[in-house]
Amino acid sequence: MDISLEDKNLAEIWQQIEKVMNEQPKPLHHMSIVYQFELSGAECGTYQLIIHKGTARVEEGAPLESECTLIMSLEDFKKLIQGTLNSTTAYMMRRLKVEGSLGLALRLETMLRQYRLS
């Protein structure tokens, strides 16, 4: 399933991500993790992707303690979820900052590859 990110605002992008992940929960089945995203740019904000036993939920703000926080621009976030920005390269180029577990950040990229985001 493709998710088109063009002409979508940040709230719509998160809705699409949540929808696709919940329609295809197999990659999430054994996960229980909270990813936090600190996004800068035209539509800045803090969001959490909460994955728990096969379901994904997105919350604005930081209601839960996160194990991995990714800090980046909105444009780089779009590229990351589309698969056109490698997280390791972005980290080395300082386009992505990670607080908490770097391993979980890399695991996120691996998980996102299982979804077709365009």
Side-chain angles (χ1 to χ4, degrees):
M1 174 180 296
D2 290 320
I3 297 177
S4 175
L5 302 181
E6 292 183 34
D7 301 323
K8 296 226 187 290
N9 66 36
L10 188 53
E12 292 169 326
I13 291 169
W14 280 119
Q15 287 172 354
Q16 288 288 336
I17 290 169
E18 187 175 302
K19 178 182 176 191
V20 167
M21 288 183 151
N22 286 318
E23 286 176 350
Q24 301 173 15
K26 189 174 181 179
L28 312 176
H29 186 61
H30 297 290
M31 295 180 71
S32 193
I33 187 166
V34 176
Y35 286 101
Q36 184 165 308
F37 295 84
E38 303 279 340
L39 303 176
S40 61
E43 295 181 76
C44 60
T46 300
Y47 294 84
Q48 288 187 332
L49 174 60
I50 303 159
I51 300 169
H52 185 69
K53 295 182 181 176
T55 62
R57 180 175 98 239
V58 175
E59 295 283 339
E60 190 170 357
L64 301 174
E65 186 175 330
S66 86
E67 299 156 72
C68 180
T69 300
L70 294 94
I71 304 163
M72 67 184 79
S73 71
L74 175 59
E75 291 307 311
D76 285 340
F77 169 72
K78 288 179 180 181
K79 291 174 184 176
L80 178 71
I81 62 175
Q82 290 175 314
T84 59
L85 177 66
N86 177 282
S87 62
T88 303
T89 302
Y91 182 78
M92 298 299 276
M93 295 175 61
R94 300 181 190 245
R95 292 171 60 185
L96 167 65
K97 295 179 185 171
V98 177
E99 293 178 359
S101 173
L102 185 57
L104 289 176
L106 296 172
R107 187 172 165 192
L108 175 67
E109 182 177 18
T110 300
M111 179 184 60
L112 290 175
R113 282 187 200 134
Q114 297 180 51
Y115 298 96
R116 292 178 56 203
L117 305 169
S118 62

